[in-house]
C-alpha cells in the first residue's frame, strides 16, 4: 500500500502556508517507510490530479477560512 501526504498552501501568505508547514514538520520529526511520500505542492491547481495517481491512499493537508473566522 502506498500513501501520499500532500501539503497545499502558499508559504508567502502566512495564513495559507499550513499544508507546507505540516509537511516540513513531519519530514523533520519522523522517519516514514518507503511507502509513504510527503509532498509539499504549494498551489498546484488542476495539476494536483497528477500527484494522486499511483497511490492507494492520499491525505491532503490544507486550510480554508470559514464563516466567523
Amino acid at each position: 500500500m502506498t500513501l501520499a501526504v500532500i501539503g497545499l498552501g502558499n508559504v508567502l501568505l502566512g495564513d495559507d502556508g499550513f499544508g507546507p508547514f505540516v509537511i516540513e514538520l513531519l519530514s523533520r520529526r519522523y522517519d516514514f517507510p518507503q511507502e509513504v511520500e510527503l509532498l509539499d505542492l504549494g498551489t498546484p491547481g488542476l495539476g494536483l490530479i497528477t500527484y494522486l495517481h499511483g497511490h492507494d491512499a492520499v491525505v491532503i493537508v490544507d486550510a480554508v477560512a470559514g464563516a466567523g473566522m
Side-chain angles (χ1 to χ4, degrees):
M1 177 176 191
T2 61
L3 168 69
V5 181
I6 297 174
L8 301 179
N10 184 339
V11 296
L12 299 177
L13 300 174
D15 59 337
D16 192 29
F18 181 72
F21 174 78
V22 170
I23 297 300
E24 179 71 20
L25 185 74
L26 290 173
S27 67
R28 287 180 183 256
R29 292 192 179 183
Y30 302 98
D31 292 322
F32 291 93
Q34 185 175 352
E35 296 83 10
V36 177
E37 186 174 12
L38 301 176
L39 300 168
D40 173 0
L41 298 185
T43 55
L46 295 176
L48 175 63
I49 192 71
T50 60
Y51 294 96
L52 304 177
H53 179 73
H55 297 286
D56 297 310
V58 175
V59 175
I60 296 177
V61 181
D62 197 4
V64 296
M69 296 196 164

